[in-house]
Amino acid sequence: MKRRKTPVRALLEGLAAGAIGAGAQSLYFRLTERITPKAPEEAFDPPEGEQAQESALETTARRLVEGLAQRGPLDARQKERIGEVVHYGFGAAWGGIYGLVRASYPRAWSVRGIAGFAIGVWMLGDNLLLPALRLAGWPQRYPVGVHAHALGAHAAYGAGVALGLAAIDRAPLVPLVAAFALARGRRAGRRVAAAMEGHALVPREVVEAPRHLARALARRARDLSR
C-alpha cells in the first residue's frame, strides 16, 4: 500500500518541481526569442522611469533591494542576476502550492489538472499580479499574439512541473529533492553574492539565506525518507 504523503513532503516535491518548471520556461523564452511578439508601447505606462530599461523581474529585484532593503543602487548586471533568483523563487512557490493541492486532491494529478494549473498561474500572475504591482499593463491592452506567447511560456512551465513531479514519483524521492534543493539554493546564493560583489547592498545574512534554506530542506527531506 502506498504511503500517503505528508504536507511537508508534498511541499518539498512541489518546490523542486516548480523550480524545474521555471527552468523550462526560461528555455522556452530563449528558444522563442526571435519570434517573441512585441508589446505595444501604449499598453503600459510605467510609474517609475527606470522601468523603461528593465524587465518585470529586474524591476522587482530593484524594488526589493533598493526600496525594501534600502540598499544599492543596483547596476544592470546585478538586476539581471537577482531577477533570475526571483524568477526561480516565484516558480518554486507556485510549484509548492500545486504539490500540496495534488497531495490533497489526486484528481489534480492529470493532464487536465496540469493544464488548469498552468493556465491559472498565467491568469493570476501575468494578468492580475503584474498589473496590480505596476509591472505590466492590464490584459485588455495587449494583442492576442502577446497573450498566446505568454500562455505558451506557462504551458512550458506546467510541463516542467509535471515532468519534475513524475521524475520524483518514479525515482527515489528524497535524494532527488534534497540534491535539487541543495544545488538550486547554492546556485541562487552564488548568483546573489556575485551580483553584489564589492557592494554593501544587503546584509551578509540575506545573501547566505538561500544556501542555509537549501541545506535545511535537504536535511528535512532526508529525515522524511527514514
Side-chain angles (χ1 to χ4, degrees):
M1 185 176 179
K2 193 173 181 180
R3 186 176 61 177
R4 190 172 182 180
K5 294 176 183 177
T6 65
V8 172
R9 182 173 176 173
L11 177 63
L12 283 171
E13 291 180 357
L15 289 171
I20 292 171
Q25 190 178 68
S26 294
L27 179 61
Y28 170 89
F29 284 130
R30 282 196 290 270
L31 293 176
T32 62
E33 188 174 2
R34 293 184 179 181
I35 60 171
T36 300
K38 246 188 172 179
E41 292 184 5
E42 64 273 13
F44 177 53
D45 183 23
E48 305 163 35
E50 301 98 315
Q51 287 182 265
Q53 289 80 40
E54 296 173 340
S55 67
L57 290 171
E58 290 168 347
T59 300
T60 303
R62 175 176 55 78
R63 288 178 179 176
L64 288 173
V65 174
E66 297 182 8
L68 184 62
Q70 294 292 300
R71 308 284 176 161
L74 296 174
D75 60 32
R77 189 179 180 187
Q78 291 167 337
K79 289 177 188 177
E80 182 181 357
R81 289 188 172 184
I82 299 174
E84 187 178 358
V85 175
V86 172
H87 169 64
Y88 278 94
F90 192 67
W94 280 114
I97 293 172
Y98 180 74
L100 290 171
V101 169
R102 81 155 185 157
S104 301
Y105 303 97
R107 289 185 180 180
W109 185 232
S110 63
V111 173
R112 185 177 296 179
I114 287 290
F117 164 67
I119 293 172
V121 173
W122 169 66
M123 288 291 295
L124 292 173
D126 285 23
N127 300 308
L128 183 60
L129 288 178
L130 291 185
L133 295 173
R134 302 300 303 275
L135 294 169
W138 291 100
Q140 67 271 18
R141 297 187 176 183
Y142 295 95
V144 173
V146 172
H147 287 300
H149 183 261
L151 189 55
H154 285 82
Y157 169 74
V161 171
L163 290 173
L165 287 172
I168 291 170
D169 286 342
R170 293 177 181 275
L173 168 69
V174 175
L176 181 61
V177 174
F180 186 87
L182 191 57
R184 178 53 59 188
R186 284 177 173 172
R187 194 171 301 169
R190 283 197 299 270
R191 285 199 185 104
V192 175
M196 298 178 176
E197 187 175 0
H199 299 270
L201 298 177
V202 297
R204 183 176 180 81
E205 291 79 5
V206 174
V207 175
E208 294 291 335
R211 280 177 271 190
H212 294 324
L213 177 60
R215 291 193 186 100
L217 288 174
R219 286 195 298 269
R220 178 59 178 162
R222 284 195 297 269
D223 292 342
L224 289 171
S225 66
R226 295 172 183 169

